[in-house]
Amino acid sequence: MPKKTFFNLCDDKKKKIEETAIDIFIKYNYEDVNIRLIAKEAGISIGSFYQYFEDKDDLYLYLLVETEKKILAVEKSKKGQYYQMKIIFL
């Protein structure tokens, strides 16, 4: 998960980093994404990236969790109650 410094950023900067990273992960294969590309497109330095996240995996997992939270919130608003997602491993 992101470091505390990421959560201390203003909402606009956090949103820009998140949206930029999502766009990059959609556009490129995961293996082809690197910190330099993320930092350049988000308008931050590579050093700043590492102040906010441990590595690319850390950012990716954060985005997955945030996306899941949004999906659950939408489902909750549709249903009027909380549905727990069950994951079945085969």
Side-chain angles (χ1 to χ4, degrees):
M1 296 312 289
K3 297 177 182 178
K4 186 177 180 179
T5 53
F6 179 74
F7 295 110
N8 290 336
L9 291 174
C10 69
D11 289 339
D12 289 341
K13 191 163 187 174
K14 281 191 291 190
K15 186 175 180 180
K16 174 143 175 79
I17 293 168
E18 291 170 359
E19 289 177 352
T20 300
I22 289 169
D23 290 344
I24 289 170
F25 284 121
I26 289 171
K27 186 175 180 181
Y28 298 97
N29 290 327
Y30 181 81
E31 296 80 17
D32 297 332
V33 174
N34 59 52
I35 305 307
R36 185 176 309 279
L37 175 61
I38 295 167
K40 179 182 175 188
E41 294 294 319
I44 61 173
S45 69
I46 294 171
S48 291
F49 177 90
Y50 284 110
Q51 288 181 352
Y52 308 145
F53 301 95
E54 289 293 327
D55 52 24
K56 175 176 76 170
D57 295 341
D58 190 30
L59 170 60
Y60 191 79
L61 291 173
Y62 168 71
L63 295 172
L64 287 176
V65 168
E66 291 304 303
T67 300
E68 183 177 318
K69 287 179 185 177
K70 290 176 185 176
I71 291 169
L72 289 173
V74 168
E75 288 301 312
K76 182 179 176 183
S77 70
K78 285 181 187 176
K79 309 283 189 211
Q81 57 186 327
Y82 178 77
Y83 283 90
Q84 183 176 5
M85 296 177 65
K86 293 183 180 180
I87 299 174
I88 301 172
F89 295 96
L90 301 175

